[in-house]
Amino acid sequence: MIVRLGEQFPDASRDQITSAFKIAADDAREKVRKSQREAAALKTARPLLDDMPKGTTLRQAAEIKAKRGDPLAIAFLEEINSPVVRIGEALWRAACEADPRWSRIGAGFKWNGEGQPPSGAAMIEWFQMTHPTEARRIEAEIEG
């Protein structure tokens, strides 16, 4: 592959191509770690939906079970209601509203841009850079 890339990019040195591969490999490993964390989180949260009627959201199930004293439900609600999570969600929603490549669909958003949508972190960073006053207002409002 390095030889083929060298042919495609004759001005790139072998070191540059090797560095690009290392960066790509690091990115791929991080994506795998992120997917593994998300899968573990879903596996951990899955019991919240046990014995719940079809169509019950995870939040609704957690609220019902937290009232019953379920420790997993209580911990889940503490996490999703934390300022860090609430700020992140509010900034992401504001970013989607501000970015013309997204459209509102019900309570969510649909990606209409080319290729894969940017990550949530990339959307938030973009919003903070392009709409700093609004981003600070959202953060201050949630932090109290």
Side-chain angles (χ1 to χ4, degrees):
M1 286 183 79
I2 291 175
V3 171
R4 197 170 77 225
L5 283 173
E7 291 169 356
Q8 287 180 317
F9 302 99
D11 294 337
S13 72
R14 185 174 180 88
D15 287 344
Q16 288 172 321
I17 292 172
T18 301
S19 292
F21 268 113
K22 288 178 182 175
I23 291 168
D26 288 344
D27 288 348
R29 280 190 287 275
E30 181 52 35
K31 285 180 184 177
V32 167
R33 285 190 293 271
K34 181 180 178 191
S35 293
Q36 290 171 335
R37 287 190 304 270
E38 289 172 355
L42 290 172
K43 185 177 179 181
T44 300
R46 176 69 184 115
L48 293 174
L49 292 171
D50 290 346
D51 305 322
M52 290 287 122
K54 186 176 180 172
T56 304
T57 67
L58 194 54
R59 178 184 286 275
Q60 291 167 335
E63 288 170 351
I64 291 166
K65 290 191 173 186
K67 289 177 184 171
R68 298 179 191 161
D70 183 301
L72 175 60
I74 293 166
F76 177 80
L77 288 175
E78 286 175 356
E79 174 67 21
I80 66 170
N81 290 322
S82 71
V84 170
V85 171
R86 289 177 38 232
I87 288 169
E89 183 170 331
L91 290 173
W92 180 80
R93 290 183 154 293
C96 291
E97 290 281 350
D99 188 330
R101 299 173 298 172
W102 292 88
S103 60
R104 182 177 278 285
I105 302 293
F109 294 91
K110 178 184 175 199
W111 174 250
N112 300 309
E114 298 278 327
Q116 294 294 314
S119 69
M123 287 296 298
I124 290 169
E125 184 177 339
W126 170 81
F127 185 73
Q128 289 171 322
M129 299 276 295
T130 59
H131 299 80
T133 303
E134 179 66 9
R136 283 193 298 275
R137 184 197 62 75
I138 290 168
E139 292 166 358
E141 185 177 292
I142 292 172
E143 288 175 338

